[in-house]
Amino acid sequence: LYPAPRQFPVIVNVYGPVYYYVGAWLLKWFGVAFAPLRLLTMVSAVAIAGLVALLLHQLTASWKLAVSFGFFFLTISLVQDWLALVRVDMPGVALSLAGLYLFSRFREQWYVSIPFFLGAIFCKYTLIAAPSACFLDLLVQKRVKQAIGFAGSLALLSGLAFLVLQSTTGGGFAFDTIVLSHPDPFTFGRA
């Protein structure tokens, strides 16, 4: 998935492995075509709308408001533009929102949200905002022990996954996803 960068052909995969593995599975079942991956994006967008509705219903107890905002998400022009594209963002955001929903629904069992946050981070590592918000929520509620457990669990599992990916790709994972995807704009070389 992340071949060594010192040999030809040079292939760069800038996202985490979750989307690539799901895409490979879809291509294996349906053949080489964009339709299954586009369908994954569309299903993810519908899942996001549903999760927005579930979260808002949980917060407001109003199905009318919750469903309205869920459908509203699908009417946003940027969302509609991305529905027909093969993009990693929608599945990643769907995993992130699933983690948020589970975290807010099962407050004492925060650990049920960890696999979804881990999946989101390894879809696109910039999707760190939702687990960060959960960590801060636990701190604000003075549930420091749970906050440390939450952050520690996510950090430990992320670190283990990172090390496994690094070792199986000969260092290609970090090189592709971190070094090449976001060069430092403040280096002397770029100046």
Side-chain angles (χ1 to χ4, degrees):
L1 183 59
Y2 302 95
R6 293 162 197 83
Q7 63 190 21
F8 288 101
V10 176
I11 299 169
V12 178
N13 297 312
V14 296
Y15 298 117
V18 171
Y19 187 76
Y20 292 128
Y21 284 134
V22 170
W25 181 79
L26 288 171
L27 292 175
K28 180 181 176 184
W29 280 93
F30 298 104
V32 179
F34 283 122
L37 294 170
R38 288 177 175 157
L39 186 60
L40 174 63
T41 302
M42 291 178 194
V43 168
S44 297
V46 171
I48 291 169
L51 287 161
V52 165
L54 287 172
L55 275 165
L56 279 174
H57 179 262
Q58 186 175 329
L59 294 171
T60 65
S62 167
W63 276 114
K64 211 185 264 190
L65 181 69
V67 171
S68 297
F69 273 90
F71 280 124
F72 176 70
F73 172 77
L74 295 173
T75 67
I76 298 171
S77 63
L78 183 63
V79 171
Q80 290 181 350
D81 290 343
W82 282 14
L83 282 178
L85 301 176
V86 176
R87 298 276 313 179
V88 68
D89 304 275
M90 290 292 180
V93 171
L95 286 168
S96 218
L97 276 174
L100 276 175
Y101 174 71
L102 291 171
F103 180 85
S104 64
R105 178 97 166 97
F106 304 104
R107 305 226 19 103
E108 297 303 317
Q109 294 90 18
W110 51 263
Y111 45 83
V112 298
S113 65
I114 296 288
F116 293 93
F117 289 135
L118 187 66
I121 291 168
F122 279 89
C123 247
K124 189 172 182 179
Y125 70 88
T126 56
L127 291 170
I128 194 76
S132 299
C134 294
F135 173 71
L136 289 174
D137 179 60
L138 289 169
L139 284 180
V140 166
Q141 292 181 17
K142 295 183 177 36
R143 296 171 56 192
V144 176
K145 189 175 178 181
Q146 289 92 344
I148 292 170
F150 177 83
S153 303
L154 191 56
L156 178 68
L157 290 173
S158 296
L160 286 173
F162 180 82
L163 289 175
V164 167
L165 286 163
Q166 276 295 90
S167 68
T168 58
T169 62
F173 175 68
F175 184 78
D176 280 14
T177 58
I178 299 170
V179 175
L180 285 184
S181 65
H182 299 297
D184 185 2
F186 302 109
T187 61
F188 286 112
R190 285 187 54 93

